[in-house]
Structure formats: structure tokens, C-alpha cells
Amino acid sequence: MEQKREDNRENIFGPMVPGTIVRHFKRETLSEDEKKTNKYLYVIRSMARHTETGEELVIYQALYGDFGTFARPAEMFFSLVDKEKYPGIRQKRRFEPAE
């Protein structure tokens, strides 16, 4: 049973594993000078499971500002960008691997 969980986890998270540096889609809105900084760049620290609901969570840390650490439901972390709300954004998902 545990092996199946790990297989499902791989399908949920795809190639983004702990240590992967990702960019938030709002990085596209920065000026060229701002893009020289780490604003809207994060590193995935871990994957977790909510103790009460079993929901998959992504634990990630900012690479700018106060270097805060955050938890976000995996479903939201890997969700598609709302193109109605952000029509000019080219990035497909909320977070994608940084290049």
C-alpha cells in the first residue's frame, strides 16, 4: 500500500522535488531590473501530508525578502494560472521550474 502512495505522489508532483527552484507566475510582471533579483523565486523544501485531512502540501521557501517558509496545498501549488484574472501571463502553472 505504501508503494502505491509513493507512485501517486510522483504523479502529483512530477519532476519538482525537494531542492527544485521554482518561479511564481507573477515573476513575469517584473521589470528587467527586478528580474535580476530573486523576487518570486522559491525552493521546494519538502512535501507533506496534512495530519487531519491527508491533503498533500508543498513546503517551500522564498529566495528573497525575509526568506519565509510557506505551506500550500499541492493542488493549488501546481494549479493552472487563471487566464481570465491574469490574461497577459504566459506561464501555464502557478509555479514552474526556474530556468
Side-chain angles (χ1 to χ4, degrees), residues 12 15 28 35 41 79 85:
I12 291 168
E28 286 184 30
K35 286 181 182 176
L41 291 179
S79 67
K85 189 172 180 180

Side-chain angles (χ1 to χ4, degrees), residues 24-30 35 37-41:
H24 188 274
F25 73 87
K26 287 183 180 176
R27 189 162 169 82
E28 286 184 30
T29 66
L30 300 178
K35 286 181 182 176
T37 71
N38 285 344
K39 189 166 184 180
Y40 294 124
L41 291 179

Side-chain angles (χ1 to χ4, degrees), residues 1-48:
M1 186 76 141
E2 185 63 25
Q3 182 61 42
K4 183 172 180 176
R5 179 177 170 266
E6 291 302 319
D7 290 345
N8 288 340
R9 179 175 284 215
E10 187 62 30
N11 290 335
I12 291 168
F13 297 114
M16 290 192 265
V17 297
T20 302
I21 296 175
V22 295
R23 67 178 181 274
H24 188 274
F25 73 87
K26 287 183 180 176
R27 189 162 169 82
E28 286 184 30
T29 66
L30 300 178
S31 70
E32 288 306 312
D33 281 342
E34 289 174 314
K35 286 181 182 176
K36 294 175 184 173
T37 71
N38 285 344
K39 189 166 184 180
Y40 294 124
L41 291 179
Y42 303 86
V43 61
I44 295 175
R45 291 294 180 203
S46 183
M47 309 310 181

Side-chain angles (χ1 to χ4, degrees), residues 41-95:
L41 291 179
Y42 303 86
V43 61
I44 295 175
R45 291 294 180 203
S46 183
M47 309 310 181
R49 185 176 298 277
H50 191 287
T51 58
E52 300 295 319
T53 66
E55 182 177 27
E56 295 282 352
L57 303 170
V58 178
I59 312 302
Y60 61 107
Q61 183 177 17
L63 295 176
Y64 65 97
D66 65 358
F67 297 88
T69 300
F70 307 96
R72 187 182 290 250
E75 187 174 320
M76 182 186 291
F77 191 92
F78 297 110
S79 67
L80 298 174
V81 173
D82 181 343
K83 298 297 183 165
E84 288 184 27
K85 189 172 180 180
Y86 301 99
I89 297 296
R90 293 181 309 270
Q91 187 165 308
K92 182 177 178 180
R93 299 205 174 270
R94 182 179 301 267
F95 290 92

